[in-house]
Amino acid sequence: MKFTVNIQGERLVIPCGDGSETIGWLCEEAEKRRDALGDLPCGVAVYQARQVPGGGLLSFGDKICDVLSDGDNVLLVAKVDEHARDEPCTFPEAIEVDGNSLTPKQLLQLGYGKTKIVIAKASLEKVKAARDFIDEIVKEKKVVYGISTGFGRFARTTIDSDKLCDLQENLIRSHSAGVGSPLPPERTR
């Protein structure tokens, strides 16, 4: 299967094998190929995929073979950051993150995944100090909400020291669930 994808005025023919990939994959592949052409304005991210003709909205999570026929045309609707519309997109090798000075433009650059993130030395020192503080709480067997106790209605439940790592991992797992189609990487970075 192959499709012609229109993204920002460029028409790209993209082979899709047997169509078992998702519409989200097709969008990502089109963005990569568009990026390779150069002169991409900063702040561009696909937020809709539509079948042409007709304009039917395609869900990023749907399999290509379930919603498109070989040779169909797809229009990717891109949202452009108004502040970056006319700037060519240049990607620095790395952006230092210190918790205070990240700009919207840098955030958009990081979203493309072409720039390394470097954590500032002072920030790493703060993280280490925070970790040392937590380790001290655990060592002294202090009862502290969310560190040595459960959460919410389990706030008065003390967790055994050999289960504290499980507590934190389960907290992350409980917050990582979602519904609907997965977001493309540019929106989740």
Side-chain angles (χ1 to χ4, degrees), residues 1-4 14-17 64-65 67-73:
M1 299 181 89
K2 66 181 176 184
F3 302 94
T4 301
I14 301 179
C16 300
I64 292 169
C65 61
V67 293
L68 295 174
S69 298
D70 191 27
D72 277 355
N73 290 306

Side-chain angles (χ1 to χ4, degrees), residues 70-145:
D70 191 27
D72 277 355
N73 290 306
V74 177
L75 172 65
L76 300 184
V77 181
K79 187 174 187 176
V80 179
D81 176 5
E82 295 298 322
H83 301 290
R85 180 183 301 269
D86 298 322
E87 298 177 30
C89 206
T90 56
F91 298 99
E93 186 176 324
I95 293 176
E96 185 176 71
V97 177
D98 62 9
N100 298 308
S101 61
L102 187 66
T103 67
K105 181 178 178 180
Q106 289 173 320
L107 186 61
L108 289 168
Q109 290 171 328
L110 291 171
Y112 281 101
K114 297 179 180 181
T115 300
K116 292 179 184 176
I117 299 172
V118 177
I119 300 174
K121 185 177 179 180
S123 295
L124 287 173
E125 290 169 1
K126 289 178 183 177
V127 169
K128 184 177 179 338
R131 178 62 204 208
D132 291 345
F133 179 72
I134 298 295
D135 288 344
E136 190 65 26
I137 289 170
V138 172
K139 180 180 169 188
E140 294 177 6
K141 298 185 191 264
K142 291 182 178 178
V143 177
V144 178
Y145 176 79

Side-chain angles (χ1 to χ4, degrees), residues 5-111:
V5 178
N6 185 330
I7 178 170
Q8 294 182 280
E10 293 291 342
R11 296 173 58 82
L12 308 169
V13 177
I14 301 179
C16 300
D18 63 359
S20 61
E21 298 287 354
T22 65
I23 295 295
W25 173 88
L26 182 64
C27 294
E28 289 175 18
E29 189 64 24
E31 286 179 311
K32 285 182 208 169
R33 291 171 185 232
R34 173 60 184 92
D35 286 354
L37 296 174
D39 298 325
L40 180 69
C42 281
V44 176
V46 170
Y47 74 100
Q48 280 186 357
R50 294 193 172 270
Q51 190 175 14
V52 179
L57 186 61
L58 301 168
S59 174
F60 291 132
D62 286 343
K63 283 187 176 181
I64 292 169
C65 61
D66 291 341
V67 293
L68 295 174
S69 298
D70 191 27
D72 277 355
N73 290 306
V74 177
L75 172 65
L76 300 184
V77 181
K79 187 174 187 176
V80 179
D81 176 5
E82 295 298 322
H83 301 290
R85 180 183 301 269
D86 298 322
E87 298 177 30
C89 206
T90 56
F91 298 99
E93 186 176 324
I95 293 176
E96 185 176 71
V97 177
D98 62 9
N100 298 308
S101 61
L102 187 66
T103 67
K105 181 178 178 180
Q106 289 173 320
L107 186 61
L108 289 168
Q109 290 171 328
L110 291 171

